Amino acid sequence: MAAPLSATAGPEPDPDFAELVAARPHLSANAFDGLTVEEVPLARIAEAVGTPTWVYSAGALRRRARALRAALDGAGLRASIHYAVKANGNLAVLRVLAAEGLGADVVSEGELRAARAAGVPGSAIVFSGVGKTERELRLALAEDIFQINAESAEELEAVSALAASLGRTARVALRVNPDVDARTHAKITTGRSENKFGVPIADAPALYARMAALPGIEPVGVAVHIGSQITAGVSAFRAAYARLGELVRELRAAGLPLQRVDCGGGLGIPYRDEPAPLPEALAGAIRHGLGDLGLPVMLEPGRWIAGPAGVLLASVVVQKQGAARRFVVLDAAMNDLLRPAMYEAWHGILPVSPRALVAPCSPADVVGPVCETGDTFARGRALPALDPGALVALLDAGAYGAVMSSTYNMRPLAAEVLVDGARFAVVRDRQDHAALLAGMRVPHWLEDAP
Ligand code: LLP
């Protein structure tokens, strides 16, 4: 395969195509089929389904769920994994993970319904989020879910009043904000005191005591989640779990009951080739801070499970030469994969055809057709000449990809496909243009206007 390259945006050269493929075991490339997910050439999917299309590997999802479980077991932890549905809520993805024994972490009525529809039992669902509505809490109580993570004194009172009025008991954990810097992108840091999440850890003992006294609530433990895409080692996890461990000891000393500790999500993945901690390191951090408490722990991973398992398959619309740069314009855009525009995120981009994978490369800006300069997937990326119709895959788009899509520029939502060995199936239809207009209407007093 091609060994690019000279011009790159970063100080280090980007990984070449062979390196990007080798780091992702569900991907392969060969001289006949080009880029392939498990046993299905991406060109076949494009032919059958069109582009842009999200393609998920069931095998990668399973392998990653098992690797995480093995790391937790290996550290001697009693742990349950509650996959964060926000990362990828496709029912087929949820189904694969439910069959692996994963529960779900949900943050809305929609996610709760998706998890239940995919076969996740209520007894394996935790509900997180700073702004749960009464309607959402009612549903959570009706489904008798495993745990509600309360994030404020106000929410504790609201859950108590609602549960008591319904004659129910809510199992509630208190989410604390440990004021730890996860050293990740500011937009996805959640565990600093200036962030909106959780209750200040200093207030936690009084709030937990209050929670234990409230009707309709069974206090079950404490929770943290300090941020997402954490790659700078596990020291931030260690610090957060150490603080949580201290809190648990303090609560116990006050005679308050705890059944478990929720360690949140956040484990990062290497999008480029940056070093990222392995799940074994995360398990070690959990054991270090919480291992001697004798309590089961919960995890809420999203990205680590689903991110590497998906690609966004797109076609080149046109390749154009600007005054100073070559632009490769795709039929996918920021409305599909928002992460580069939103977080300056780096996603690997691979050509799909066998010839393009070995052709000489030169720098190109890879952009979408949306009318904003922010609609840029990559700058100065080493890529071969890509004629209209050529296929490319944007890597590591399995988490925070399709779920963050919009219909901006009146662009329909892309299709989603699940690959499982040699089989593939459309697991979400491409939205059609009629669906885009459905539900909008012109008020009657404008109907006859000139
Ligand atoms: N638990 C809670 C309470 C969360 O808020 C999150 C993510 C997770 C678990 C899962 O975190 P993960 O393991 O996936 O890091 N859209 C951003 C990521 C936002 C993450 C929000 N919370 C992105 O594209 O990078």
Side-chain angles (χ1 to χ4, degrees):
M1 258 181 284
L5 57 134
S6 45
T8 64
E12 297 290 322
D14 287 334
D16 66 24
F17 298 157
E19 287 165 335
L20 288 170
V21 171
R24 291 156 182 82
H26 52 292
L27 298 183
S28 61
N30 68 67
F32 292 104
D33 295 320
L35 191 63
T36 300
V37 172
E38 297 194 39
E39 295 162 46
V40 183
L42 282 169
R44 248 176 67 202
I45 294 176
E47 199 178 289
V49 185
T51 57
T53 293
W54 306 91
V55 181
Y56 310 128
S57 157
L61 291 167
R62 292 191 192 105
R63 196 163 337 134
R64 299 186 71 81
R66 287 174 199 171
L68 182 56
R69 151 91 35 229
L72 296 166
D73 289 350
L77 295 166
R78 268 188 299 152
S80 56
I81 304 174
H82 303 263
Y83 165 70
V85 174
K86 64 167 74 73
N88 185 328
N90 186 284
L91 291 186
V93 168
L94 298 179
R95 180 86 199 135
V96 168
L97 296 176
E100 289 297 314
L102 269 56
D105 167 51
V106 303
V107 293
S108 67
E109 174 175 351
E111 288 189 0
L112 178 48
R113 289 188 186 281
R116 292 291 294 114
V120 182
S123 60
I125 295 177
V126 50
F127 200 142
S128 305
V130 286
K132 305 174 203 76
T133 65
E134 184 186 318
R135 183 187 152 106
E136 288 172 328
L137 290 171
R138 271 180 196 278
L139 179 65
L141 290 168
E143 293 284 345
D144 197 22
I145 67 167
F146 184 60
Q147 179 172 308
I148 295 172
N149 287 352
E151 301 218 10
S152 63
E154 293 77 2
E155 187 174 37
L156 286 177
E157 304 293 330
V159 172
S160 165
L162 185 65
S165 75
L166 297 170
R168 292 198 168 256
T169 302
R171 287 173 287 273
V172 180
L174 185 65
R175 175 166 174 188
V176 300
N177 183 322
D179 194 19
V180 163
D181 183 358
R183 291 194 285 152
T184 181
H185 194 286
K187 285 185 185 161
I188 50 176
T189 292
T190 52
R192 300 299 308 276
S193 56
E194 69 257 34
N195 302 140
K196 67 183 173 183
F197 300 95
V199 303
I201 195 159
D203 299 351
L207 282 172
Y208 203 92
R210 169 77 184 146
M211 177 160 89
L214 283 172
I217 287 187
E218 180 186 357
V220 294
V222 286
V224 287
H225 170 76
I226 56 172
S228 193
Q229 182 55 7
I230 296 169
T231 52
V234 292
S235 56
F237 287 118
R238 265 183 177 250
Y241 299 148
R243 281 180 204 177
L244 209 55
E246 269 168 45
L247 173 64
V248 170
R249 273 181 276 275
E250 187 180 340
L251 297 175
R252 277 181 164 168
L256 294 163
L258 289 112
Q259 298 175 25
R260 52 189 177 250
V261 176
D262 183 344
C263 298
L267 187 60
I269 57 170
Y271 281 95
R272 196 168 172 242
D273 52 2
E274 61 273 41
L278 293 173
E280 283 74 12
L282 175 64
I286 295 173
R287 194 180 56 186
H288 188 257
L290 305 165
D292 61 355
L293 299 173
L295 292 175
V297 296
M298 299 161 58
L299 264 84
E300 303 169 352
R303 185 193 319 266
W304 197 87
I305 301 275
V311 304
L312 174 58
L313 179 61
S315 302
V316 173
V317 177
V318 63
Q319 182 174 231
K320 62 178 256 185
Q321 185 61 51
R325 318 179 72 88
R326 171 167 68 115
F327 295 100
V328 174
V329 186
L330 304 182
D331 64 354
M334 64 187 288
N335 74 295
D336 301 302
L337 180 63
L338 182 59
R339 302 195 69 259
M342 182 120 168
Y343 316 108
E344 282 91 42
W346 193 99
H347 282 260
I349 301 177
L350 288 174
V352 168
S353 93
R355 263 182 299 108
L357 277 161
V358 293
C361 290
S362 64
D365 286 9
V366 182
V367 301
V370 161
C371 304
E372 302 202 19
T373 300
D375 186 23
T376 297
F377 291 121
R379 271 180 213 294
R381 196 65 69 81
L383 287 169
L386 290 164
D387 291 329
L391 296 170
V392 298
L394 288 94
L395 306 185
D396 306 317
Y400 306 112
V403 287
M404 290 175 71
S405 296
S406 74
T407 56
Y408 185 40
N409 280 208
M410 280 272 183
R411 293 167 45 84
L413 297 175
E416 294 174 65
V417 161
L418 185 77
V419 172
D420 197 352
R423 289 182 290 194
F424 74 93
V426 174
V427 294
R428 185 179 193 170
D429 292 332
R430 184 178 309 288
Q431 193 177 35
D432 63 24
H433 285 91
L436 268 182
L437 300 186
M440 286 196 267
R441 56 184 68 83
V442 175
H444 67 84
W445 68 88
L446 293 179
E447 292 264 4
D448 304 327

